[in-house]
Structure formats: C-alpha cells, structure tokens
Amino acid sequence: MSVPFVNASVQGELSAPPDQIFGQIPASGLDGIAFLDFAYESAGHSTHRVDGLLVGTWQDTWQDTCHDTWHGTWHAAGPEDRHSVRRTRLTFCDGAVPDERDGDAFVLRGPSYVGSTRWSGPCRGRYLAYMPAAVERMIEAPLSQAEIPTLTSDLSERMSVFHLLAALGQEAGGHDTAADALLVDSVALAVLRASGALVSPGPRRSAALTARQARRVRDLVAERIDAPLSLREMAEAAGLSEGYFVRAFKGSFGVTPYQYVLRERVTLAQSLIRSGTVSLGEAAKRAGFPDARRMGRTFRKVIGRSPTEAARLQRA
C-alpha cells in the first residue's frame, strides 16, 4: 500500500515511509522552503507532482561503496573498485523515456513537473522544496516567466549542491528547536544558483550597500539579535531584492549576512559570559542561540574555542 505525502510544493505517494530521517525542516515559518534528509534500506518507488521547485541529490548507500554517504563525505571509486562494488540503480521517469542511472544523481524539477522515481536498493536522498512564492522572491520574477529546466545528471556535476544540502542536513539533524531561518534562506538561494535554476547573467559589476543601507541592516541585526531573522527581512531593511542584497552585503562587510549575524551573536555572548553575571543558558538566549549546546557549536565554528575557553582567555 502506498503512502501519500506533502512536502511544501511537492506531493505524491511513496511505496513506504523512509527507513530513516536524518533531518527535516518544515516549510512553516521559513517562507515556504522545506528540507528533508532521508534514507531507504531497500528498493522502493515514489511519484511526485511539483508546484514550485524541487532540488535534490541521491546517493547509493551499499555498505561497500567508496564514499561515506551516512556522514556526508565523498571520494571517487578507483579502477580496482568498479567491478566489485554493488550499485543501487535509480530510474527517473516523467512520461518520456526513463532515465536510468547507477549510483548517485542530481535532480532539478520545476513547476508542473509530474514524474516518478525508483531505486533498486539502499540509498539516501536530500531534497529542498520551494513553494512558488519562495521561488519568485528569489528569482525576482513571476514563476510563470521563469524558464526552469528539468535536469537529471550525475551527482559529480553538481557537487556544490551536494555540499550545500549536506551542510543543511547537519544543521537540521538532531535538533528539537527550529532551524535558523537566515541559514535556510541563504542555503536555499545558493542552491538555486548552483543547481542551474537561476541562469547566470554573466560577469557582474561589484556591488555594495550605501552607508544608509548598511546602517539600517546593522540596526536591524542589533535590535533582533535575540530573535529569528530571515534573509528577506534583512533585504527589505536595505530596500533590495534578496539576490542583490547578498552580493551587496558581502561587498560591504566582507562576509555573508548569515556569517555576520553569527559573528554578532558570538560577540554579544562573549561579553555576557565574561561579565560572569549570567549562566551559559541565559547568555545563549540573550544572544539569539536556541540553547547553550548550539551556542558552543557556533563558538567552535567561528572562533575555534568553546564559550568557557574564550572567556577564560579574555580574563587572562
């Protein structure tokens, strides 16, 4: 018996629920963007209809493959492996001639796409699904005017998308709290560009925020440091589209909006911890982190030390 599903702008039926879900981000609260990182241990199939946009990667997870799909790392099989490795076969069909592939694949599905997918054995999938409104605000045009191709290719041709989705999977996995909206927005925009859904306009002129725009964004971040903040809100503060805002922001600040917000949160948390008047949990809350554990993870990523190590060094 098949199992119906709905994920943002994608709906259809599954031969069975995934055997494992590593991470999941629902569309609610994230401007119509959803993410799912899942795995099957045996053969199965699905049907799907896309109203907005779907970008995904598939990975073969036979235990004797030459890449560690469960931990998100990759290396190509050598000549001596190719005859001994058992592969999962993927079959994609949209009513035309089926597209069959061994091992790993990248897929891009645009509005009104209707098709099916079959897998012959263990595999892992990561999908980013965009509601029509989310696509329109990122491509800066009505969806009806967008020329988004239907693509299926070897995963090796879109490894930048694989790494982006793997990073998002790490953020989504194992957390009880909601994913950072700014991170999801930023990754979603980068995936659109890397996937081929957004055609590059060619060489771009350098971009930067005006002094007034930069000040308004800085003020917004300072005011909302302890609360969720989306890329759309930051772009609106500057009066720019999201795509141009990201380029202009990096041109002015040297980092992405997400990196800037993380840095500001770490700076505030360091100050609070150094004061010795609040607990780690309270410092995390005031600085906009979901909890002390996530704050510690961010500290190590940004400055290479735990919060307590950083505070101890500053007092010395």
Side-chain angles (χ1 to χ4, degrees):
M1 180 180 294
S2 60
V3 180
F5 75 91
V6 177
N7 187 13
S9 65
V10 185
Q11 54 187 307
E13 294 186 343
L14 300 168
S15 55
D19 294 300
Q20 188 167 0
I21 294 180
F22 297 95
Q24 185 171 10
I25 300 173
S28 58
L30 290 172
D31 297 324
I33 301 169
F35 174 76
L36 183 63
D37 183 353
F38 62 95
Y40 282 95
E41 296 177 1
S42 58
H45 63 272
S46 67
T47 62
H48 32 273
R49 183 175 74 249
V50 181
D51 295 321
L53 184 68
L54 178 71
V55 182
T57 61
W58 284 89
Q59 290 177 272
D60 180 345
T61 55
W62 284 106
Q63 293 303 304
D64 57 351
T65 52
C66 296
H67 51 278
D68 184 357
T69 55
W70 300 105
H71 295 89
T73 58
W74 170 282
H75 62 273
E80 69 280 3
D81 301 311
R82 293 173 184 163
H83 298 295
S84 61
V85 174
R86 188 175 182 183
R87 307 304 302 269
T88 291
R89 192 163 187 79
L90 301 168
T91 304
F92 304 96
C93 185
D94 59 2
V97 178
D99 187 338
E100 297 189 347
R101 295 178 180 272
D102 286 325
D104 313 299
F106 159 84
V107 296
L108 170 63
R109 307 294 188 241
S112 302
Y113 176 88
V114 177
S116 64
T117 303
R118 290 183 176 274
W119 51 96
S120 65
C123 59
R124 180 170 180 173
R126 294 183 177 94
Y127 275 92
L128 199 58
Y130 304 70
M131 295 288 284
V135 181
E136 290 178 341
R137 66 183 173 82
M138 289 187 171
I139 67 175
E140 304 168 44
L143 194 56
S144 59
Q145 297 178 11
E147 297 182 0
I148 300 175
T150 292
L151 295 176
T152 305
S153 68
D154 291 340
L155 187 56
S156 60
E157 298 177 15
R158 290 291 192 280
M159 286 306 295
S160 56
V161 173
F162 167 76
H163 291 304
L164 286 166
L165 295 187
L168 193 55
Q170 290 181 345
E171 177 67 21
H175 301 318
D176 297 328
T177 53
D180 190 308
L182 181 56
L183 172 63
V184 176
D185 281 349
S186 301
V187 171
L189 180 58
V191 166
L192 278 185
R193 290 172 173 162
S195 67
L198 286 179
V199 179
S200 173
R204 302 177 183 178
R205 294 179 300 172
S206 58
L209 300 175
T210 65
R212 182 181 181 185
Q213 289 171 327
R215 184 173 62 254
R216 292 183 67 178
V217 173
R218 279 197 301 266
D219 290 345
L220 175 65
V221 173
E223 292 169 4
R224 296 277 300 280
I225 195 68
D226 62 344
L229 184 63
S230 70
L231 184 61
R232 179 170 63 178
E233 290 172 307
M234 294 181 71
E236 286 177 349
L240 301 171
S241 68
E242 291 176 38
Y244 185 81
F245 170 73
V246 171
R247 290 197 295 118
F249 187 94
K250 192 168 185 179
S252 293
F253 290 91
V255 294
T256 67
Y258 178 65
Q259 291 169 331
Y260 175 82
V261 171
L262 282 189
R263 189 175 66 188
E264 292 299 295
R265 286 175 174 165
V266 166
T267 299
L268 174 57
Q270 281 182 298
S271 177
L272 292 169
I273 295 168
R274 188 170 61 249
S275 72
T277 60
V278 299
S279 66
L280 287 180
E282 181 63 21
K285 181 180 178 180
R286 292 190 190 181
F289 296 103
D291 50 51
R293 181 171 60 86
R294 293 279 288 277
M295 179 176 70
R297 225 177 80 184
T298 303
F299 263 65
R300 293 183 182 90
K301 181 189 302 182
V302 175
I303 63 176
R305 300 184 183 92
S306 71
T308 52
E309 289 171 338
R312 187 166 55 248
L313 286 173
Q314 288 180 334
R315 291 192 191 105

